[in-house]
């Protein structure tokens, strides 16, 4: 995100997003506690670029998502968080198809993950077309990616909540955080997990 922000500034393309400076200022004014991450996000926002990941506060994520949805910034660099159900349509999605998983090392994303992430592009009623881009190093990798992701079968969904305690912890914490100022009870957690594949 920082590299893209610097590129937009160097080429003058940041001027395509005249309201980006106001959004960066709004971010700085809305946070309770200034962190280096917040300062870096403000820096990129000022130039029409943002980043999005689970380490952002709810307020930071809301500001980024709203600015992108209203086309006041042009680019979001993201971890898979945006491909997992957040309604944030884009005209063009560039997907990194080789990812690092702390449990399994470097591996290809699944067909389902590709379809979910690529599905952010060209949303009905918002764009006439959409582009989901996979980057290949050579022609062989291009054909393999096309065969695997475009014509490949979507894998059956299987929960990993019961297999990985850190994933279970992350989901519990995420559920608590999204509750806002409301007290989350054990019963709330049990009801939440009854709605999952686990």
């Amino acid at each position: 995100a920082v590299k893209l922000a610097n590129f937009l500034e160097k080429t003058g393309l940041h001027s395509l997003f005249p309201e980006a400076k106001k959004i960066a200022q709004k971010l700085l004014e809305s946070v309770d506690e200034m962190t280096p991450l917040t300062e870096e996000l403000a820096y990129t926002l000022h130039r029409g670029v943002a980043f999005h990941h689970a380490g952002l506060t709810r307020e930071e994520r809301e500001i980024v998502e709203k600015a992108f949805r209203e086309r006041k910034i042009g680019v979001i660099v993201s971890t898979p968080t945006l491909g997992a159900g957040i309604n944030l349509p884009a005209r063009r999605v560039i997907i990194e198809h080789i990812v690092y998983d702390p449990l399994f090392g470097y591996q290809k994303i699944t067909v389902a993950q590709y379809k979910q992430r690529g599905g952010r592009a060209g949303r009905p009623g918002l764009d006439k077309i959409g582009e989901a881009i996979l980057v290949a190093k050579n022609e062989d990798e291009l054909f393999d990616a096309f065969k695997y992701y475009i014509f490949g079968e979507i894998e059956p969904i299987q929960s990993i909540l019961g297999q990985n305690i850190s994933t279970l912890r992350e989901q519990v914490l995420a559920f608590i955080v999204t509750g806002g100022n409301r007290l989350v009870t054990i019963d709330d957690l049990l009801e939440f997990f009854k709605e999952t594949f686990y």
Side-chain angles (χ1 to χ4, degrees), residues 22 24 26 40 43 49 73 94 111 119 122 132 134 148 154 163 172 174 178 183 186 190 192 196:
K22 290 179 192 172
K26 178 182 176 183
E40 193 166 48
Y43 175 85
V49 178
I73 61 171
I94 301 172
V111 175
L134 287 165
Y148 182 72
I154 294 177
Q163 301 170 7
V172 169
T178 58
L183 179 65
I186 294 292
L190 291 174
F192 169 72
T196 69

Side-chain angles (χ1 to χ4, degrees), residues 2-14:
V2 171
K3 286 180 183 177
L4 283 171
N6 290 338
F7 173 78
L8 289 183
E9 184 174 44
K10 183 178 178 182
T11 59
L13 292 172
H14 69 289

